[in-house]
Amino acid sequence: MNVIELVDNMSEEMYLRLKHAAETGKWPEGTPVEQAQRDSAMQLSMAYQARKLDSDQMLTIGSDGEIVHKSKAELKQQFKKSSVARQDSTDASKTSDNIARFTDL
């Protein structure tokens, strides 16, 4: 089985385990990962991101197999959009019933 077939048949749970091992040097249950295992886990995680995840997040692997890089202006624009969307959703959920009230101590 080659790497492409392996990644195509990999479950999301396995991807998350491999990603955790590559990031921390330990398996999720706490067993240490050898350097060769960590290198393989990193390669498989990157291949999974490229093949299955459609992410445009900074420093992830894009569908073209390249690391996603963004300029400072692009990141500012992205964060501005997400903060505006978050602000709109919190404004909509605020009503007079949701105000915290404190008594004098």
Side-chain angles (χ1 to χ4, degrees):
M1 180 179 285
N2 66 24
V3 175
I4 302 300
E5 291 172 354
L6 183 64
V7 169
D8 287 341
N9 293 319
M10 187 186 305
S11 67
E12 184 176 359
E13 180 183 349
M14 179 55 73
Y15 160 70
L16 293 173
R17 287 180 56 81
L18 290 169
K19 182 179 171 196
H20 181 82
E23 290 173 344
T24 64
K26 294 181 181 180
W27 294 109
E29 57 273 359
T31 308
V33 176
E34 295 177 11
Q35 188 60 43
Q37 291 175 319
R38 195 170 186 178
D39 293 342
S40 295
M42 177 70 76
Q43 290 174 350
L44 288 169
S45 297
M46 292 171 68
Y48 186 92
Q49 287 178 1
R51 297 275 298 175
K52 294 208 174 181
L53 301 181
D54 186 23
S55 178
D56 65 346
Q57 294 295 315
M58 180 74 167
L59 300 178
T60 59
I61 306 300
S63 59
D64 59 356
E66 297 292 323
I67 296 176
V68 176
H69 293 282
K70 293 186 178 183
S71 68
K72 190 173 181 179
E74 289 173 318
L75 289 171
K76 281 184 176 182
Q77 184 179 13
Q78 178 184 347
F79 291 134
K80 186 176 181 181
K81 284 181 185 177
S82 65
S83 66
V84 168
R86 226 182 358 253
Q87 181 69 29
D88 290 344
S89 67
T90 57
D91 287 345
S93 66
K94 287 183 181 178
T95 64
S96 61
D97 296 336
N98 291 340
I99 297 173
R101 303 193 191 286
F102 298 96
T103 59
D104 294 331
L105 297 175

